[in-house]
Amino acid sequence: MKSHLKFKIYGEDPSNLFLALLLLKKGFKVEIFKKYNISEKLYYDKLFLISQSTKLILDKHNLWSQISDKAHSIESLSILDRSIFKKLNFSPFHFRSNKTNTNNIGWIINYKDISNLLLNELSKFKNVFSKRTINQTSEEIYLYKNLKQSLSG
């Protein structure tokens, strides 16, 4: 029954590529549509966060060993909410459970590195990428650029 289902995924960001890979490995049909009009520079200047649970999934699918040397560990994190002048601090202690004894919160990795790994894995499957692209509206591009500018400075 699974083989009769086909998932259409719009966009090639790492989360979508990872979802596509997992669905393909489960026997589903997947078609990925590339978003048009996003410059490669905007796309590849971003970072991707890998949590402890995501690392376990990557391990299960033999992907973590291929990317771990490009991942940068996050040992602690501080968040300041200026509206209420409160600061939150996170360390590995906050993420420990009875099952694991972690020494970090997670990892960050460049979009380009994780995307290339996932694209390489997806290339092992036939007929995954659509020849058609979807156009991104100028309003979406404008919102993306403004969000990026407001976050960077």
Side-chain angles (χ1 to χ4, degrees):
M1 182 166 173
K2 284 186 209 177
S3 62
H4 297 299
L5 294 176
K6 185 173 191 176
F7 290 86
K8 293 183 179 184
I9 297 177
Y10 297 94
E12 294 179 299
D13 63 73
S15 297
N16 288 353
L17 295 175
F18 194 42
L19 173 62
L21 182 61
L22 295 178
L23 288 169
L24 286 163
K25 286 186 172 195
K26 290 286 185 183
F28 293 103
K29 293 179 184 175
V30 174
E31 185 175 13
I32 299 172
F33 293 84
K34 184 175 183 175
K35 279 191 177 179
Y36 198 69
N37 290 340
I38 294 182
S39 80
E40 195 169 299
K41 184 175 179 353
L42 286 175
Y43 180 72
Y44 285 132
D45 277 352
K46 295 167 58 174
L47 296 174
F48 190 77
L49 174 69
I50 297 175
S51 66
Q52 293 288 341
S53 57
T54 302
K55 183 216 177 259
L56 291 174
I57 296 168
L58 289 168
D59 262 340
K60 181 179 176 182
H61 294 279
N62 301 316
L63 297 172
W64 180 248
S65 61
Q66 297 177 54
I67 199 77
S68 62
D69 62 326
K70 296 179 180 178
H72 302 278
S73 180
I74 303 169
E75 280 79 34
S76 64
L77 178 67
S78 295
I79 301 171
L80 176 63
D81 185 339
R82 293 181 185 182
S83 64
I84 59 173
F85 297 105
K86 259 202 160 168
K87 185 176 181 180
L88 299 172
N89 293 308
F90 297 97
S91 70
F93 173 78
H94 295 99
F95 296 92
R96 287 191 177 126
S97 68
N98 294 335
K99 297 177 185 176
T100 61
N101 188 10
T102 61
N103 59 359
N104 69 2
I105 295 172
W107 297 264
I108 55 170
I109 190 164
N110 288 325
Y111 253 53
K112 185 175 186 175
D113 294 329
I114 191 76
S115 294
N116 287 341
L117 170 70
L118 295 169
L119 288 168
N120 183 51
E121 290 296 312
L122 287 166
S123 71
K124 297 173 184 175
F125 296 88
K126 293 181 181 178
N127 301 322
V128 174
F129 291 92
S130 174
K131 302 224 185 308
R132 297 176 286 163
T133 57
I134 56 169
N135 285 320
Q136 194 169 26
T137 67
S138 57
E139 181 178 313
E140 288 175 310
I141 293 170
Y142 174 77
L143 290 172
Y144 177 79
K145 285 181 181 177
N146 282 337
L147 177 62
K148 185 175 180 198
Q149 287 173 352
S150 66
L151 291 174
S152 64

